[in-house]
Amino acid sequence: MQNLVTILPAYKKIVMYTAIGVIGFVIFLILLSTIMDVLGSTLNKDLLISTRMTVLNLIGNFLLLVVCVEAGLGLDAALQKVSGEIHIGSQELSQELQMTAASIRLGQSRETALHDLGERTGVPDLKSFVAVLIQADRFGTSLAQALRVHADDMRTRRRQRAEELAAKTTVKLIFPLVLFIFPAIFVV
């Protein structure tokens, strides 16, 4: 049987090559859009890098706040001190803590100022931190002990998130291995 390309007239060859090119281009666009969707979600996550950095810095900042409170500073002064100390490492969190301390100094109730801190940032871990502060203030419990327990809880949650991401990594690696690595190994 003769090759199909040698039998077809010239104009049909052009049409066939054009169709193959269009099909290849469509496949390329589908793959590109899939990659862009994956990268788009990654870029959206990168836009929240300051939020991640805030979450990563929260545990250390909680412990610094515990040290300040145990040293005898009140919550307002401790917030001001911590915001000054963490300015280099986490500017966003430092600014939010300074705004909260300033609003407390200007006469806003501590509970409202702390609640506003949680609402402004929108970070779930920071909202739970604010809830712990409000609850400890409302019920008169030891602020340092509440913050220490909350920091331990956050450490545990952070470790669990890391383990969860590590478990998901193996599933994500299966498709690139099957599609790109294994065929190259089989060819060699």
Side-chain angles (χ1 to χ4, degrees), residues 39-80:
L39 287 178
S41 64
T42 304
L43 290 176
N44 287 339
K45 290 178 185 174
D46 288 342
L47 291 175
L48 298 174
I49 193 72
S50 63
T51 303
R52 280 189 189 170
M53 292 304 294
T54 301
V55 170
L56 292 177
N57 291 330
L58 278 179
I59 296 172
N61 298 336
F62 283 162
L63 295 177
L64 185 58
L65 195 61
V66 168
V67 169
C68 289
V69 169
E70 285 179 346
L73 290 176
L75 179 61
D76 309 338
L79 284 175
Q80 188 65 34

Side-chain angles (χ1 to χ4, degrees), residues 20-143:
I20 291 172
V22 168
I23 291 171
F25 185 71
V26 168
I27 291 172
F28 170 74
L29 287 179
I30 291 170
L31 289 174
L32 184 65
S33 68
T34 305
I35 291 171
M36 291 305 291
D37 285 341
V38 171
L39 287 178
S41 64
T42 304
L43 290 176
N44 287 339
K45 290 178 185 174
D46 288 342
L47 291 175
L48 298 174
I49 193 72
S50 63
T51 303
R52 280 189 189 170
M53 292 304 294
T54 301
V55 170
L56 292 177
N57 291 330
L58 278 179
I59 296 172
N61 298 336
F62 283 162
L63 295 177
L64 185 58
L65 195 61
V66 168
V67 169
C68 289
V69 169
E70 285 179 346
L73 290 176
L75 179 61
D76 309 338
L79 284 175
Q80 188 65 34
K81 181 71 173 172
V82 169
S83 68
E85 293 292 328
I86 67 170
H87 184 69
I88 294 173
S90 177
Q91 284 185 339
E92 296 89 5
L93 184 60
S94 173
Q95 290 172 351
E96 291 296 332
L97 291 178
Q98 285 176 353
M99 285 174 50
T100 303
S103 64
I104 292 172
R105 275 195 319 267
L106 291 174
Q108 191 175 19
S109 71
R110 184 181 294 173
E111 184 175 336
T112 307
L114 290 172
H115 181 70
D116 290 346
L117 170 67
E119 291 301 316
R120 271 194 315 264
T121 58
V123 178
D125 288 337
L126 196 56
K127 283 184 177 183
S128 65
F129 162 71
V130 166
V132 166
L133 287 177
I134 290 172
Q135 186 176 10
D137 189 40
R138 186 180 295 162
F139 295 123
T141 60
S142 171
L143 187 61

